[in-house]
Amino acid sequence: MSRAVTEAAVPVSGWAPLRRPVFRALWLAQFVANTGTWMQTIGAQWLMGDLGGGALATALVQAASTLPVFVLVVPFGALGDILDRRRLLLTGQALMCGGAAGLTAATAFGRTTPPLLLGLIAVMGVGQALSVPSFQAIQPELVSRPEVPQAAVLNGANFNVARAVGPAVGGLLIAAAGPAATFAFNTMSFVGVLVVLYRWKRPPDHRPLGAEHVLAATRAGVRYILNAPRFATVLVRSALFMIFASGLWALLPAVARGPLGLGPDGYGVLLAGIGIGAVAGAFVVGRLREMFGANTLVTVSTAVYGMSMVVIGTQQRPGPVLPALTIAGASWIGAQSTLNATAQTLLPAWTRARALAYFQLVFMGGQAFGALGWGVLASLAGLRAAFVVPGVALLAVSAVTVRRLRLPRKSLDLSRKPFWPEPAVGPESDSSVGPVLVEVRWRVAEPDAEAFVEAMHHVSRSRKRTGATLWGLFRDVADPSVYVETFTVATWHEHVRQHLERGTAWDWELEAAARSLTMDGAEPVVRHLIWAYALRLSPDR
């Protein structure tokens, strides 16, 4: 039995990650920061209303915080696989702290306008874009691999407990001292995270070939995702959920002010209801995932969230809305924490930050464009339509995706395992020369031919995930037992990364399945060829 399957079978306590000192310290500091963020969110949304903004302007507050993430998270995710993730996190947190301080000062002196409010929130969004991919990518460094799903649930619970506490405290602060007090608290909330990150002694990254270039790393991330169908399924499921689910977060302030006739403290109670539901969901989501699997849990959570939105949009009294929000909070944590944990367990270390950047791209993009879309619909057709339409859509999404976009249940061993020997020869000096053509000659008996071709289909994805741009498998007409696999890599340096840095135990298993079908277990014969014009144009020639 593979190590991945063995680890997945070992039951892990839902609180096990908190036994890890660095994870625990960062989790507690992050709770304070998340609380400050939610206090600022309610303060900013309420301040926008005080400045004369309507439902669309209120929705733009969420869009301003998420659009920078949508635009910048991919290149910043590539940086997370190139540079030291700890230093990137320190930079991102410091940028958010500075943006919050600026908003505090502007509001305290009565200088805040709607454009300035949105601009400073966007600055903090840039810091979030720099932080989020690296924060998710370091989780497997802080806990063991079997604890990663529980760590994702705890981080989700952290965020949603803060969602319960932050709005309630924020509403009280707004009523007592105005929105500037929530912005001041948020500014101070980043100090704990900065201290924990500064004191964390993170081991150096294993990069025998040095750091990649940002553009090359970004292209490698795209190539990995395009050839990782399991991870792509997670992205699609997350997009379908977020686009429709985002309307609740964007328009709840308008519901509180309008149909429900609540003040800032009442709005805080509504958000606290969501947070309480999320906390309750965090206690059971791990057990439910073990019992029913990620696919069923996400499907049911999506459907229940959709029904909750319909209830919220059609009720005029806080009584029915509050329990519906609590149920929505539990459904939110069930869907989002499961999708997040699944995404993290499907990625090797060398591409984790840049691939998770695309997960955040989908998450934040769904929030940003969903908030804009449902804000426009609310302006044109009213709040009821802006809740009922996405709620019904989520019910349809759950029915369609449960079978057609099934989430993987089996865990994969993605630990680093270089299984190709380093090429014996290569370019004498310029490692950037390319493209490189790799030719692998296999010999397979006729009875195993069909199974070999099927096994090589999986090998082709492995080659492309780790660096190949083109791949093909050809059969010798004169000798049908001979198969020639060819693939190209952009540069010699990129191909050496395939050998030394990007191979995983799962890739080894895929190639081992193909090797087991060769005649008499014969080793394939490998040749490396470099584009002749590249050699002629090399500066050393």
Side-chain angles (χ1 to χ4, degrees), residues 206-209 350 416-423 493-504:
H206 179 77
R207 295 193 182 101
L209 299 178
W350 70 268
R416 195 177 68 88
K417 184 173 183 177
F419 55 91
W420 292 354
E422 185 175 357
H493 199 236
E494 186 84 353
H495 179 55
V496 176
R497 288 191 188 278
Q498 285 186 297
H499 281 262
L500 300 182
E501 294 183 355
R502 298 178 177 173
T504 68

Side-chain angles (χ1 to χ4, degrees), residues 1 3-17 19-20 144-151 286-287 289-291 411:
M1 182 180 293
R3 183 166 66 90
V5 176
T6 302
E7 287 183 345
V10 177
V12 177
S13 166
W15 306 103
R19 301 191 188 107
R20 312 282 181 173
S144 67
R145 186 171 183 82
E147 294 171 350
V148 168
Q150 283 71 25
R287 178 63 61 86
R289 187 177 60 248
E290 291 178 4
M291 292 174 58
S411 178

Side-chain angles (χ1 to χ4, degrees), residues 427 433-438 487-493 495 528-531:
V433 69
V436 178
L437 173 66
V438 183
F487 60 93
T488 59
V489 187
T491 66
W492 181 259
H493 199 236
H495 179 55
H528 297 87
L529 300 91
I530 296 177
W531 190 44

Side-chain angles (χ1 to χ4, degrees), residues 365-424:
Q367 279 193 318
F369 290 109
L372 288 172
W374 305 125
V376 170
L377 182 61
S379 298
L380 296 176
L383 287 170
R384 179 187 292 263
F387 275 80
V388 172
V389 170
V392 173
L394 284 172
L395 292 172
V397 165
S398 63
V400 171
T401 57
V402 63
R403 292 187 179 276
R404 296 190 178 183
L405 293 170
R406 296 186 64 87
L407 295 173
R409 186 159 191 162
K410 180 183 176 182
S411 178
L412 302 173
D413 186 355
L414 297 175
S415 57
R416 195 177 68 88
K417 184 173 183 177
F419 55 91
W420 292 354
E422 185 175 357

